[in-house]
Amino acid sequence: MARRRQSVTIKHVAADAGVSLQTVSRVINNEPNVRPAMKERVQASIDRLGYTPSIAAQRMSGSRSYLIMALNDRERTLADWRERRGTDWVDQMLLGGMLTCAEHGYRMIVELIDTHSDHVERELNAALTALQPDGVVLTPPHSEDPLIVDLLAERSIPFARIGSIAPGPGFALTMGDRGHAENATRHLIELGHTRIGMIAGPDAYSLSGWRVDGWRKALKDADLPCEGLCAVGDFGFDSGLEAARALLTQDDPPTAIIASSDQMALATLDIARDLGLLVPRDLSLISFDNTPIVRFTDPPLTAVDQPIAKTISRAVELIIRSRRDGAPDGVIDIEGALEERGSTAPPPHLRRIKRA
């Protein structure tokens, strides 16, 4: 039976180079105050032995943990996972965060915290103490929770606030929500729609209000009505059913709807079918998020593609570079795009005129 090859550790490198473990760690971490000759000597041992630094070895210098922690909402994340809803927010967050971390020799770990819990401070303190991250990425609604923001600021931990423009500590990043809602509404106006509904997200998320603002602005610029055309959901499917039914059973219902999440857009599709409406013949529909499932609906949904991976990647870069560059000025806005598919078309009366 062949002997398993022993993995190379920092101790082997130190012994081969004839230096201390701390010296090897300083070379690995590119720390100052290491003589060029010593650095070359240690690097030669690393190359000769084929050593790959571990986080434990990197941490030996004592200045960094080489971990970035991302916080996501526990209740909503677990509900999506258990019900297998097809949302890919966490997937995209890991895609952007993990790859960028790896480029800089870091690792990303995700912690689920319930921002509505009375124990949020205890849970977060426990995670921070156990992991000692070099920085934290806050996603909505954590990014606007003053308790979480203040706790991180008090501990002098660099952090990014996704979906927040409020003044305060940390790096503020948004994903163009107001502009995307405005562009989506204009797209429908250009198709000829004059009654355009909006299914908004909950007030606990500032981005819900930004999207409504963008929708209203586009309608106002086109001198079109918005009264009675906005319903509110909680980003979930069931709330989308209720909101879509309220809009589509009006005496003068909208001929197009923008839903503030893919789940609420899918719910709108169901209600439209129940009412005998075909998309896009009788109703045009645009969604936010652009998760994989909207490509396989009938018809595939036109959707605002949220640049989640790109935004998290930028947040990680800001955190890692904050030791050297400090905090950037103002809010950083990462733009996405509108992906046009088969769920939008001119309203029924315009098609009848064209046929005539």
Side-chain angles (χ1 to χ4, degrees), residues 73 75-76 113-120 141-142 145 204-205:
D73 186 45
E75 184 178 354
R76 186 172 300 280
I113 301 289
D114 187 358
T115 193
H116 304 295
S117 169
D118 295 335
H119 309 301
V120 61
H142 300 315
D145 187 323
Y205 294 74

Side-chain angles (χ1 to χ4, degrees), residues 93-108:
M93 181 173 68
L94 291 173
L95 171 64
M98 291 177 70
L99 291 179
T100 305
C101 280
E103 289 175 7
H104 296 275
Y106 282 70
R107 295 293 183 269
M108 171 168 274

Side-chain angles (χ1 to χ4, degrees), residues 38-60:
M38 182 65 71
K39 187 173 182 178
E40 289 179 10
R41 184 164 140 197
V42 172
Q43 189 60 52
S45 292
I46 289 173
D47 295 341
R48 182 165 53 254
L49 298 174
Y51 171 65
T52 301
S54 67
I55 288 180
Q58 289 174 305
R59 281 183 164 186
M60 284 189 67

Side-chain angles (χ1 to χ4, degrees), residues 67-71 108-111 124 127-128 131 133 135-137:
L67 287 177
I68 302 294
M69 184 169 74
L71 293 187
M108 171 168 274
I109 188 165
V110 176
E111 286 287 314
L124 181 54
L128 294 173
L131 299 171
V136 177
V137 177

Side-chain angles (χ1 to χ4, degrees), residues 166-323:
F171 316 124
L173 298 94
T174 65
M175 292 187 280
D177 295 273
R178 183 181 286 106
H180 287 318
E182 188 176 343
N183 290 338
T185 308
R186 283 179 179 158
H187 172 66
L188 294 169
I189 293 171
E190 289 168 0
L191 289 173
H193 293 274
T194 57
R195 287 187 63 77
I196 300 170
M198 177 75 178
I199 301 179
D203 293 338
Y205 294 74
S206 288
L207 58 84
S208 298
W210 301 336
R211 294 174 184 178
V212 172
D213 290 344
W215 165 76
R216 282 195 178 122
K217 183 179 185 303
L219 293 178
K220 182 179 179 180
D221 290 347
D223 199 24
L224 294 175
C226 63
E227 292 299 320
L229 289 173
C230 183
V232 178
D234 63 5
F235 293 134
F237 185 85
D238 292 340
S239 73
L241 292 173
E242 185 176 344
R245 188 174 293 278
L247 290 175
L248 293 174
T249 55
Q250 295 180 11
D251 292 337
D252 188 10
T255 59
I257 288 177
I258 300 171
S260 200
S261 76
D262 286 343
Q263 291 299 318
M264 295 194 295
L266 295 175
T268 304
L269 270 179
D270 276 11
I271 294 299
R273 293 190 187 102
D274 288 348
L275 297 174
L277 303 174
L278 291 180
V279 175
R281 188 194 70 183
D282 305 308
L283 176 71
S284 285
L285 181 59
I286 295 179
S287 177
F288 266 81
D289 294 342
N290 197 33
T291 57
I293 195 170
V294 302
R295 304 171 201 172
F296 305 108
T297 57
D298 184 19
L301 295 184
T302 295
V304 172
D305 186 64
Q306 292 270 267
I308 299 166
K310 189 176 179 181
T311 302
I312 302 299
S313 173
R314 183 78 174 110
V316 168
E317 286 181 348
L318 288 171
I319 289 171
I320 292 174
R321 293 175 180 174
S322 64
R323 287 170 171 256

